[in-house]
Amino acid sequence: MYNFFFLEIPEHFPFLLRGALVTVELSLISMLLGTLLGFGLAVGRLSKSRALRWPLDAFVEIIRDTPLIVQLLLIYFSLPEAGIVLSAFWAGVAGLTLNLAAYLSEVFRAAIKAVDEGQKAAAVSLGMSPAGVYRRVIIPQAALASIPTLGGYFIALLKDCSLVSFISVNELLRHATIVISDTFDSMNTYFMVAIIYFLMSFISARIIRYVEIRLTPENRRATVSVPLIMEKEGAR
């Protein structure tokens, strides 16, 4: 125990943290791309055109019904045979993005359908274009309703990034295997890895909760009303 706290943590923790930074980078890029792609899939799957809707439905079903690790291996090892060569990092981003987008498309599809039809009709009656209705009426409400679920998926994504170690991405878990190969101390190394994953997830959860609270309608109204009140008082 003495060796763990006073020798192994100072020696190996910085190296593991460098791997954790790659994990965070993978997560942020994949979350951004997956959110955009997932929303596009949701809009397409709500289309009245079967020619557009069916292929997207098939894509989502295939992604959701196959393991993420298999998707990563296919992208990294099989795409080069078709002439598409990606580095390990970007193959990981591609796999995580596609997998996340398939699940988020269901989240966004439910959020979009939950927007009151009366609001859409009112926006159209005011002369808004379909794109304007989506931009000014549907997207803000769907995005706000999706924030808690998006936060949960981001935390899950942080942990799913460990799978990209199988395609040689130097993220946290792969750095741990390097440490173990040098020290032959798997128990303490994996304990340090667990601590880092916990800290990343805990901090992410707190940030997501803060954003969720700040974006609730009550807080948004309070944020807007205070400056207005101060401006009116100053005018008097």
Side-chain angles (χ1 to χ4, degrees):
M1 187 62 69
Y2 175 87
N3 288 339
F4 174 65
F5 282 104
F6 295 99
L7 296 178
E8 293 189 30
I9 288 182
E11 182 179 357
H12 301 299
F13 214 69
F15 181 71
L16 293 175
L17 286 178
R18 289 201 295 271
L21 288 176
V22 176
T23 296
V24 172
E25 185 179 1
L26 273 168
S27 300
L28 291 174
I29 295 174
S30 301
M31 190 70 195
L32 175 62
L33 297 177
T35 300
L36 295 175
L37 180 58
F39 185 81
L41 287 171
V43 173
R45 294 177 67 200
L46 290 171
S47 171
K48 296 180 181 179
S49 171
R50 292 184 179 181
L52 176 62
R53 190 172 67 249
W54 285 5
L56 296 180
D57 286 339
F59 168 80
V60 170
E61 284 300 319
I62 291 170
I63 294 296
R64 293 178 65 191
D65 295 340
T66 55
L68 174 56
I69 183 61
V70 174
Q71 297 163 18
L72 290 168
L73 293 172
L74 283 172
I75 291 172
Y76 187 61
F77 291 109
S78 299
L79 285 184
E81 297 182 8
I84 304 173
V85 180
L86 298 173
S87 67
F89 180 88
W90 288 108
V93 168
L96 293 169
T97 296
L98 293 175
N99 186 270
L100 181 65
Y103 285 94
L104 290 186
S105 69
E106 285 293 297
V107 174
F108 288 128
R109 190 164 70 102
I112 291 171
K113 292 178 70 174
V115 177
D116 187 11
E117 290 292 333
Q119 296 186 38
K120 302 176 187 177
V124 172
S125 68
L126 292 173
M128 284 191 189
S129 64
V133 173
Y134 261 98
R135 181 171 60 86
R136 303 183 66 177
V137 178
I138 298 175
I139 292 179
Q141 296 185 64
L144 189 60
S146 303
I147 286 176
T149 307
L150 290 176
Y153 273 106
F154 179 76
I155 294 172
L157 180 62
L158 275 172
K159 293 174 282 189
D160 286 343
C161 282
S162 61
L163 295 175
V164 302
S165 63
F166 288 94
I167 59 172
S168 304
V169 179
N170 287 319
E171 47 71 65
L172 176 56
L173 189 61
R174 185 166 177 82
H175 275 222
T177 60
I178 295 172
V179 172
I180 292 170
S181 67
D182 289 338
T183 63
F184 301 100
D185 187 356
S186 58
M187 184 184 74
N188 288 331
T189 302
Y190 285 133
F191 185 68
M192 285 189 281
V193 169
I195 291 173
I196 295 173
Y197 272 119
F198 172 78
L199 290 174
M200 291 192 299
S201 300
F202 182 82
I203 293 170
S204 298
R206 300 285 80 75
I207 293 173
I208 291 164
R209 180 59 179 165
Y210 174 79
V211 172
E212 181 185 347
I213 292 173
R214 294 296 297 175
L215 291 180
T216 55
E218 293 81 7
N219 283 320
R220 292 179 67 189
R221 282 196 294 268
T223 304
V224 173
S225 61
V226 170
L228 288 177
I229 293 172
M230 293 178 65
E231 182 180 346
K232 290 178 181 179
E233 292 294 332
R236 292 177 184 175

